[in-house]
Amino acid sequence: MDLRLVIFDVDGTLVNSRAAIVHAMRAGFAAVGRDYPGDAACLRGVGLSVDVMFRALVPDAPDAERVALRSAYQQAYYDHRASLGSEAMAPFYDGARDALDRFRAQDTMLMAAATGKSLRGMQAMIADHGLEGYFQSVQTADHHPSKPHPSMIQQVLADTGVDPARAVMVGDTSFDMQMGRAAGVATIGVSWGYHPPEALDADRIITDFAQLDAAVDALTGEHP
């Protein structure tokens, strides 16, 4: 069977977690008594592993302060999710669930996730959004180097056995696109996430989930 594979980033691609991330960032910086660097600076780092993101945001901070900042950010995010639930805190973008359902209905299409989220956070998102069984491989920041290192995609390819020429990475940041290229798969950038489309350098840019199927077909070959 000639399988195809779509690998999805999560935050900024499938779900809109902007408000939740900003809320947790503000809480984290307040907890350590440091000036908040602003929404734009914080959102530019979404997709990186948390440690890498905070090294970029506060390069002058001692390690102990960055650890405290990371812990305060993560606790604020977890508390917010416990209060609201993932579905309310980070809802699907318009058309995202329909796109996942369309791909799931294809016998020769597999899906995977490659995300800077923690495994704990990804498991909560899957449960709260009812996505059990959708992803044949889920790779998170817990067990891999930060994007744009290709490790997550390499593991997805190993898990699924799909040829890189029949796989595509879908994401909203330059980190996603760089990761995809480094792993030898095609890339599709979305216009609604945390990096502007002109910064993505993707093989294709889509402005709506209705355009995703055709973009995937163009880059991986149409399904049988």
Side-chain angles (χ1 to χ4, degrees), residues 2 12 14 31 34-35 42 45-46 62 65 73 75 96-97 121 126 137 169 179 190 193 221:
D2 191 9
L14 291 176
R34 198 173 252 273
D35 289 341
C42 290
V46 174
E65 184 178 356
Y73 163 78
Q75 190 62 53
R97 181 57 183 261
I126 287 172
S137 179
M169 176 69 206
M179 177 175 66
V190 305

Side-chain angles (χ1 to χ4, degrees), residues 20-30 36-37 42-43 46 53-54 57 69 73 76:
I21 291 170
V22 167
H23 167 86
M25 280 288 186
R26 289 180 179 273
F29 277 92
Y36 181 60
C42 290
L43 292 171
V46 174
M53 178 171 61
F54 282 122
L57 284 171
L69 178 57
Y73 163 78

